[in-house]
Amino acid sequence: MGLLDYFRNSRPDGTANVAKERLQILVAHDRAERHRPSYLPKLQREILEVIRKYVDVDMSAVSVNYEQEESHEVLEFNIILPDTVRHVV
Amino acid sequence: MSRIIVITSGKGGVGKTTTSAALSMGLAQRGHRTVVIDFDVGLRNLDLIMGCERRVVYDFVNVINHEANLNQALIRDKRCDNLYVLPASQTRDKEALTKEGVGRVLDELSQSYEFIVCDSPAGIEHGATMAMYYADDAVVVTNPEVSSVRDSDRMLGILASKSRRAETNAEPIRELLLLTRYDPPRVETGEMLSVKDVQDILSLDLLGIIPESKAVLTASNAGVPVILDRESDAGQAYSDAVSRYLGEEVPHRFMTAEKKGFFNRLFRG
């Protein structure tokens, strides 16, 4: 065992790099959440209510994206309207 | 002017109390009047690690509730005259730590101590937020392991948003990384996150690396802060960390595995 180890590549298939990759993704996600304004979920709900007055969409059809760039913040709403726009009112 | 240092982590069992005991003893031994406070109300342990559990009469909560004064509750360390311990209560509920009460006690301590070390409980609940609220410096104790690193990052978010310094727009808390239970041979075989990996993720100044060491358990068994074991790797690593905290430039040790000779490798693997 000792002899084999000695001649084998000293940095084999460790799992530390997997850990690091998972952490980098997770931490980036956690931080993005943390920096989002706390009013976003409420804003999303209220905007959805307004849209629903006119078009029949559900919660999953609306996505809110908040990004912080160097000098400004971008608040992006993406609303998928149904194929045939049906007037509710 | 006194400095309030919180020893925090989010995750439990990573070495907060061991670190609190070691750093406070190290600061006191270098001539600084230091007090170390256990914020883990209900699960006090610092007194055990410091070896003064049989001398506890009054505790932190008694002082907050005006049932005892500070001098009655503080325990002077028998090995170092500059060091005092303020134990946590074993029975009361955590809500006993009020923001005003903690603030008043810290204010009173800052009149006569240079360093106030706050040993935080695990988690991000009331006790942990009280321990970090008034801090000037934070030592984030982290193991090279996914859940610990993630929790440390969450704790950094809390330090940056929920502390007194954050709320009053003062200069932010100085955050320092202390990597504990580090096992260089496992890092070298790619089994464990390296110092660089953890720093890449947390981007904090490195206060020290404490190697995985038998000395830590031996010290806690005996109620002796591990920094007093000068022969041990962990004791020396904590001592280096104290020097760095005080502004000395000390190169990091215990980052690489001891080199084994060819014959050692051959026969012992």
Side-chain angles (χ1 to χ4, degrees):
Chain A
M1 185 65 188
L3 189 63
L4 270 177
D5 270 351
Y6 190 76
F7 292 110
R8 218 162 54 186
N9 190 340
S10 67
R11 199 173 164 110
D13 46 352
T15 48
N17 49 4
V18 181
K20 186 178 183 182
E21 279 167 28
R22 289 175 66 213
L23 269 170
Q24 279 171 326
I25 294 165
L26 196 58
V27 165
H29 186 262
D30 283 352
R31 286 182 190 166
E33 279 294 283
R34 208 184 289 159
H35 291 123
R36 285 171 138 219
S38 53
Y39 57 74
L40 270 191
K42 192 159 182 267
L43 180 69
Q44 177 169 357
R45 264 200 316 278
E46 288 181 11
I47 286 187
L48 190 68
E49 278 168 28
V50 173
I51 294 169
R52 271 191 181 149
K53 281 187 184 171
Y54 304 95
V55 198
D56 190 17
V57 293
D58 65 32
M59 199 70 177
S60 61
V62 180
S63 67
V64 183
N65 196 23
Y66 178 84
E67 266 175 50
Q68 227 167 356
E69 289 176 19
E70 271 171 31
S71 59
H72 59 283
E73 288 96 48
V74 179
L75 183 59
E76 182 187 290
F77 278 80
N78 194 0
I79 303 156
I80 302 162
L81 297 173
D83 288 341
T84 50
V85 178
R86 183 171 57 87
H87 293 277
V88 177
V89 189
Chain B
M1 194 51 199
S2 74
R3 275 315 267 183
I4 302 175
I5 312 161
V6 62
I7 313 297
T8 187
S9 71
K11 191 172 182 299
V14 296
K16 284 182 295 297
T17 302
T18 299
T19 299
S20 300
L23 290 189
S24 56
M25 178 61 84
L27 290 167
Q29 281 189 317
R30 285 162 208 227
H32 303 284
R33 268 178 73 82
T34 304
V35 58
V36 57
I37 310 177
D38 190 349
F39 274 77
D40 205 346
V41 171
L43 286 172
R44 77 167 180 230
N45 277 319
L46 179 67
D47 51 336
L48 266 177
I49 302 301
M50 296 295 297
C52 64
E53 70 277 8
R54 295 179 63 180
R55 296 165 64 207
V56 175
V57 182
Y58 294 108
D59 58 57
F60 193 15
V61 173
N62 290 136
V63 179
I64 286 175
N65 292 343
H66 300 278
E67 293 154 356
N69 64 41
L70 260 177
N71 289 333
Q72 290 173 298
L74 286 169
I75 303 168
R76 179 188 228 156
D77 190 90
K78 286 193 168 162
R79 297 150 297 210
C80 183
D81 285 349
N82 287 318
L83 182 59
Y84 288 78
V85 180
L86 183 55
S89 152
Q90 183 67 297
T91 52
R92 321 270 187 128
D93 72 304
K94 292 183 198 301
E95 304 305 313
L97 296 180
T98 60
K99 201 180 266 184
E100 296 69 34
V102 172
R104 181 174 55 80
V105 173
L106 292 179
D107 211 43
E108 202 179 327
L109 288 169
S110 65
Q111 310 293 317
S112 41
Y113 292 90
E114 280 176 78
F115 293 109
I116 302 171
V117 178
C118 303
D119 182 19
S120 173
I124 52 174
E125 302 303 315
H126 186 70
T129 51
M130 282 299 106
M132 66 88 197
Y133 186 75
Y134 294 97
D136 300 307
D137 302 320
V139 173
V140 181
V141 183
T142 307
N143 289 170
E145 177 270 326
V146 285
S147 55
S148 175
V149 176
R150 185 198 196 180
D151 288 359
S152 293
D153 188 66
R154 287 208 60 191
M155 192 46 80
L156 291 173
I158 293 170
L159 289 168
S161 62
K162 303 236 165 78
S163 61
R164 176 173 63 172
R165 281 176 176 263
E167 286 179 1
T168 58
N169 283 322
E171 194 187 324
I173 294 176
R174 184 165 68 126
E175 301 159 338
L176 301 162
L177 173 67
L178 188 77
L179 202 56
T180 56
R181 307 200 69 163
Y182 197 67
D183 195 342
R186 300 190 77 189
V187 172
E188 278 172 26
T189 55
E191 287 172 66
M192 180 182 270
L193 290 167
S194 69
V195 186
K196 186 183 171 297
D197 292 337
V198 178
Q199 276 192 292
D200 283 349
I201 292 161
L202 297 179
S203 25
L204 290 180
D205 287 337
L206 185 62
L207 180 65
I209 303 155
I210 312 299
E212 175 77 57
S213 169
K214 289 181 178 172
V216 173
L217 182 60
T218 309
S220 86
N221 284 343
V224 178
V226 70
I227 198 167
L228 293 177
D229 183 354
R230 288 168 209 276
E231 304 293 306
S232 71
D233 46 2
Q236 291 172 16
Y238 272 118
S239 186
D240 287 359
V242 171
S243 303
R244 276 184 216 108
Y245 178 79
L246 293 170
E248 290 170 44
E249 289 217 6
V250 184
H252 290 284
R253 295 192 274 172
F254 314 108
M255 282 172 79
T256 48
E258 274 176 50
K259 291 279 172 287
K260 284 186 187 171
F262 177 79
F263 286 101
N264 254 332
R265 279 174 176 239
L266 203 57
F267 296 115
R268 287 203 288 173

